[in-house]
Amino acid sequence: MATTESTWTPSSWRELPAAQRPEWPDEAALAAVRERLGTLPPLVFAGEARALLASLGEVCEGRAFLLQAGDCVESFRDVSAPAIRERLKVLLQMSAVLAYGAMLPVVRVGRIAGQFAKPRSGPTEIVDGVELPSFRGHIVHSDEPTPEARIPDPERLVHAYYQAASTLNLLRAFTKGGFADLTHVHTWNREFVASSPAGQRYEALADEIERALRFMQAIGIDLTTERTLHEVDVWTSHEGLLLEYEEALTRTDSLTGQPYDCSAHMLWIGDRTRGLGGAHVEFFSGVRNPIGVKLGPSATPDDAVALAERLNPDRVPGRLTFIARMGAAHVREKLPPLLRALRESAIPVVWACDPMHGNLVRTASGRKTRHFDSIMEELQGFFASHREVGTWPGGVHLEFTGEDVTECLGGSEALLEEQLDNRYETLCDPRLNGRQSLDLAFRVAELMRTV
Ligand code: PEP
Ligand code: CO
């Protein structure tokens, strides 16, 4: 039974089936960890989640664009300052391209500082010919390919909390401490990116931004006091998959008395856990953060409207983001009926496009990859669907890294299948590299101009 606002509690989800829940070998140890996490400081504040809600409200009404992007899954091994800085640089570059291209504010949300848990299509996977429990993220177990390493360990929830805290700390320092200053727009272009066609196009755009800033200065605008030039907001998000972790970090806001999941500013429910009678929808119906729901090709218009009724009963613009991930082959047929149904329901939602998860393919050698052309094709279908229905294509949801990895095929420099092994480092899904991400941002900015 679904709860109502008056019967919901942070633990009411426990009465319902939680899809994708790992097989914890020791429930008592897990409960003890949940208790410990419950006593630790929140990672974000309710007021910040409300500020993001307000920004997403602007997206909902067609006055801003959402850029949500980051790793498929963050690694416990990779928490270095350079790794965080390089991801941030590409995110800042992409948002500059989108904001300048579309002349609209861009709301930046990272898949970062908590994106540690993965849903999987099957309970087992084959690694080097051996069948093992599927890897579910470092918050659950190690990725080492042995059966012992894959046993879920609740202590990892605590490790995840501290890694999220240190990542968020650095992210706050970078975004508020001068690194994201718009007058540094040139310095975000790294060498391996700058040498590519998209990198050169970015150099030209950065020149134009600098000229615009000098012009503003010339006519007497004091740029030093304009906070928005020197600081940016980069909000955090992750898939709210492990409800023990999310419950433990839920706090009552002292200002409003409302519950907020303080593990991140925004949380989303995955395509595999969005069942209306399930634990995930129950949990997220009660916290007040902005919430996302992934909608794959099996989502019907009725499913989408029922989810919207349940997750946004007060019809708050910005509360709910539907992240469509239909696949390039289905988007033009599957998405318009959902857009129409939501419009008829009059429940406000942000529509974002995840062009990554519906376009996974395997190479003959078994590598998971995605082709840049399929990613673009889904994005084109997403924009075309919105044009057809007359709704606002609110944003994109991407998996990328700042590094020069070789995980996705194609792009303006045509990464080939035989190059995938050069630097294939992801722990789960293939990510766009820095060049491909920037290339994609330019193309999305062009699509936005056609709206
Ligand atoms: C993801 O975003 O990494 C993911 C697993 O997505 P989906 O739920 O859309 O498959
Ligand atoms: Co993924």
Side-chain angles (χ1 to χ4, degrees):
M1 256 303 276
T3 57
T4 60
E5 198 177 339
S6 58
T7 56
W8 182 93
T9 71
S11 61
S12 53
W13 65 269
R14 292 194 220 156
E15 307 300 319
L16 297 167
Q20 296 283 334
R21 189 170 186 264
E23 285 180 28
W24 300 100
D26 182 349
E27 290 284 341
L30 179 66
V33 160
R34 204 182 57 225
E35 297 281 308
R36 251 159 75 204
L37 283 174
T39 64
L40 295 171
L43 293 172
V44 305
F45 298 111
E48 297 178 303
R50 277 194 294 277
L52 173 58
L53 184 85
S55 296
L56 290 170
E58 289 293 294
V59 176
C60 196
E61 288 172 5
R63 293 190 293 266
F65 194 72
L66 167 67
L67 170 62
Q68 186 174 20
D71 247 315
C72 179
V73 63
E74 290 174 277
S75 165
F76 279 7
R77 286 191 293 276
D78 191 18
V79 66
S80 70
I84 297 167
R85 192 185 58 220
E86 298 319 324
R87 263 181 287 169
L88 178 62
K89 273 186 188 169
V90 179
L91 196 68
L92 293 173
Q93 283 191 299
M94 293 175 82
S95 73
V97 168
L98 293 169
Y100 197 83
M103 289 290 154
L104 275 181
V106 173
V107 181
R108 306 167 197 84
V109 181
R111 289 173 59 116
I112 197 167
Q115 175 52 21
F116 295 120
K118 297 312 298 173
R120 297 303 303 267
S121 303
T124 62
E125 63 188 352
I126 309 284
V127 183
D128 299 330
V130 183
E131 187 172 7
L132 294 165
S134 293
F135 175 57
R136 294 181 178 276
H138 280 164
I139 194 171
V140 176
H141 50 199
S142 161
D143 58 303
E144 293 295 311
T146 67
E148 303 73 51
R150 296 285 169 100
I151 297 172
D153 172 7
E155 279 304 314
R156 285 175 168 265
L157 270 66
V158 181
H159 185 133
Y161 168 86
Y162 284 109
Q163 178 160 329
S166 59
T167 303
L168 187 55
N169 182 50
L170 196 60
L171 203 59
R172 290 189 195 278
F174 279 142
T175 52
K176 307 291 176 191
F179 182 82
D181 194 310
L182 195 59
T183 58
H184 295 168
V185 62
H186 271 292
T187 63
W188 306 331
N189 212 3
R190 289 173 73 199
E191 262 160 54
F192 82 90
V193 178
S195 58
S196 71
Q200 282 158 17
R201 220 172 145 187
Y202 179 79
E203 282 296 310
L205 182 137
D207 281 341
E208 282 181 42
I209 293 175
E210 273 189 348
R211 276 177 62 79
L213 290 176
R214 285 205 298 276
F215 170 73
M216 280 155 68
Q217 212 155 18
I219 60 170
I221 297 173
D222 183 0
L223 301 186
T224 55
T225 57
E226 188 47 62
R227 194 190 72 88
T228 51
L229 291 178
H230 309 296
E231 294 179 12
V232 297
D233 290 320
V234 174
W235 309 103
T236 61
S237 72
H238 60 261
E239 175 170 351
L241 188 67
L242 285 192
L243 295 177
E244 281 80 8
Y245 183 77
E246 307 306 336
E247 176 190 333
L249 286 163
T250 296
R251 303 283 185 274
T252 303
D253 173 33
S254 55
L255 284 177
T256 61
Q258 300 287 359
Y260 281 83
D261 180 350
C262 296
S263 71
H265 300 111
M266 177 180 182
L267 287 305
W268 78 86
I269 302 173
D271 190 45
R272 296 166 187 78
T273 47
R274 62 174 164 74
L276 272 170
H280 294 83
V281 170
E282 165 66 16
F283 177 77
F284 288 108
S285 72
V287 295
R288 293 299 171 119
N289 309 56
I291 299 299
V293 182
K294 295 283 202 90
L295 296 178
S298 68
T300 64
D302 286 350
D303 293 338
V305 171
L307 279 164
E309 285 283 3
R310 184 80 195 287
L311 292 168
N312 194 8
D314 299 333
R315 290 157 164 65
V316 178
R319 153 70 178 173
L320 181 60
T321 298
F322 277 141
I323 307 161
R325 31 85 89 219
M326 300 294 171
H330 305 292
V331 60
R332 285 169 196 260
E333 163 215 349
K334 299 274 182 186
L335 186 58
L338 301 188
L339 302 180
R340 288 195 185 95
L342 260 297
R343 191 180 48 196
E344 274 154 36
S345 77
I347 305 171
V349 295
V350 169
W351 285 102
C353 174
D354 166 359
M356 316 295 292
H357 288 90
N359 295 306
L360 269 176
V361 288
R362 269 190 200 274
T363 64
S365 67
R367 282 261 187 243
K368 268 208 263 185
T369 188
R370 294 159 168 150
H371 202 292
F372 190 88
D373 293 345
S374 319
I375 294 170
M376 277 318 305
E377 212 179 301
E378 177 149 5
L379 282 163
Q380 281 153 2
F382 175 79
F383 277 85
S385 301
H386 283 280
R387 237 188 345 261
E388 179 188 321
V389 181
T391 41
W392 175 242
V396 289
H397 181 114
L398 307 167
E399 288 184 344
F400 84 102
T401 166
E403 303 302 320
D404 193 10
V405 298
T406 54
E407 298 172 5
C408 289
L409 298 170
S412 56
E413 287 191 294
L415 202 129
L416 303 171
E417 198 166 314
E418 52 269 28
Q419 294 171 305
L420 284 182
D421 283 338
N422 293 352
R423 237 189 116 178
Y424 192 96
E425 296 176 1
T426 185
L427 280 172
C428 195
D429 291 341
R431 302 158 299 175
L432 298 164
N433 65 31
R435 274 193 302 265
Q436 290 168 327
S437 305
L438 195 57
D439 195 359
L440 183 131
F442 276 109
R443 295 183 197 215
V444 171
E446 278 162 20
L447 286 172
M448 285 168 75
R449 282 197 287 264
T450 66
V451 176

